[in-house]
DNA sequence: CGGTATCCTCTCCGATACTG
DNA sequence: CAGTATCGGAGAGGATACCG
């Protein structure tokens, strides 16, 4: 989730059913943040070791400089990651998990591990699904009337 | 986005499977699904019990009918959730975790539990961050000329 | 009840360029 | 090295309406 700015959902929580309500709402708000794809990966990398900006840029292939910066800012604001600037000539900035971030480490690790362990299962499931359903779901329709003139 | 990174000193799985760039890419793709805000919550709910469509619509307040449908189809395609239609009138459709989905249950549960346990920590961290930084980071800063009427 | 189909907006995020 | 500024495309997701 790249906007560390709060999301403001003014929904109808008052009339919700008993079991899952207020707490789930707030949890969902946080989940939106920690569940972000880049956040999880960055968190995972920082779980391994303290890292510098460029180091993360290399270790998380595919992330852009801007998105990494924004992601780190968000994690820092949420108190999961700390940023330490060493006032030396070429700037040197270290990122590491805070104690709060450490409490997430195991969960994030198991999430990432699960993903790697079940890549093939998911591939097979998708293949099978697409086979019996004639392709992936919800195709954006044929682009023959592709009028995007703006 | 392709990653022309041949060097990856990533981590544990880099050593076990040589083409880690490919695996990383796929892993990120899966993380996007698993890390999706609605998927995690739906998965969590189904971890508790088998549920019907409308039931989920009620217990996951804030989700729209369309998004729930899309989310469920995605989870079904990935083999995490199964859909069972009972040919009765009125229609009755059950959703539940597949065995593969069950293997994710613990991780999802601990993720959700973590958010519940640390809501206050994060609130405090944000408050403190905003205080010392003069507000939340980097709002998109809408130009005056970009005002939209709604 | 359990969905699709459309439309439309808002956010994400990549590419590029510039700075301390 | 470690960012920020700006632009633009793509897609997520909400509202609404309709169907088997």
């Amino acid at each position: 989730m790249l906007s560390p700015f709060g999301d403001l959902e003014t929904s109808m929580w008052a009339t919700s059913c008993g079991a899952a309500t207020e707490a789930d709402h707030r949890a969902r708000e946080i989940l939106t943040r920690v569940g972000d794809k880049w956040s999880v990966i960055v968190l995972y990398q920082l779980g391994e070791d303290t890292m510098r900006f460029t180091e993360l840029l290399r270790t998380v292939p595919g992330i852009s400089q801007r998105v990494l910066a924004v992601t780190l800012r968000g994690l820092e604001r949420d108190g999961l990651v700390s940023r330490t600037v060493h006032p030396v000539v070429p700037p040197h900035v270290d990122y590491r998990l805070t104690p709060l971030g450490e409490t997430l480490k195991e969960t994030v690790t198991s999430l990432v591990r699960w993903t790697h362990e079940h890549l093939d299962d998911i591939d097979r499931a998708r293949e099978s699904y697409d086979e019996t359903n004639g392709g992936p779901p919800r195709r954006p329709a044929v682009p023959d009337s592709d009028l995007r003139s703006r």
Side-chain angles (χ1 to χ4, degrees), chain A:
Chain A
M1 218 282 282
L2 286 187
S3 85
F5 193 52
D7 68 319
L8 14 108
E9 309 175 14
T10 331
S11 304
M12 45 315 183
W13 299 99
T15 55
S16 301
C17 56
T21 49
E22 167 69 16
D24 274 1
H25 174 214
R26 308 188 64 208
R28 185 162 58 80
E29 188 191 332
I30 306 299
L31 272 176
T32 301
R33 283 158 179 76
V34 301
D36 171 69
K37 99 174 166 183
W38 294 120
S39 291
V40 169
I41 298 178
V42 167
L43 242 16
Y44 177 76
Q45 287 299 331
L46 292 179
E48 305 269 289
D49 199 1
T50 293
M51 283 184 153
R52 300 174 59 176
F53 189 86
T54 312
E55 216 170 344
L56 281 167
L57 214 49
R58 271 184 289 108
T59 325
V60 184
I63 198 170
S64 70
Q65 202 171 19
R66 178 187 156 280
V67 170
L68 177 58
V70 176
T71 299
L72 286 170
R73 220 55 76 233
L75 292 173
E76 194 194 348
R77 184 165 104 107
D78 285 352
L80 298 170
V81 163
S82 68
R83 176 174 177 271
T84 310
V85 182
H86 298 95
V88 294
V89 170
H92 185 127
V93 180
D94 279 330
Y95 290 94
R96 63 171 303 175
L97 294 187
T98 60
L100 179 58
E102 291 284 348
T103 67
L104 232 193
K105 185 174 165 181
E106 265 194 57
T107 299
V108 163
T109 299
S110 76
L111 184 57
V112 172
R113 186 181 309 135
W114 183 92
T115 300
H116 278 86
E117 280 169 0
H118 296 281
L119 278 178
D120 293 341
D121 292 331
I122 291 186
D123 276 343
R124 259 182 272 109
R126 285 182 183 172
E127 227 170 286
S128 150
Y129 180 97
D130 293 349
E131 206 167 288
T132 60
N133 290 278
R138 196 197 171 271
R139 250 176 290 196
V142 187
D144 85 349
S145 60
D146 192 74
L147 25 104
R148 230 170 292 150
S149 44
R150 315 169 55 176

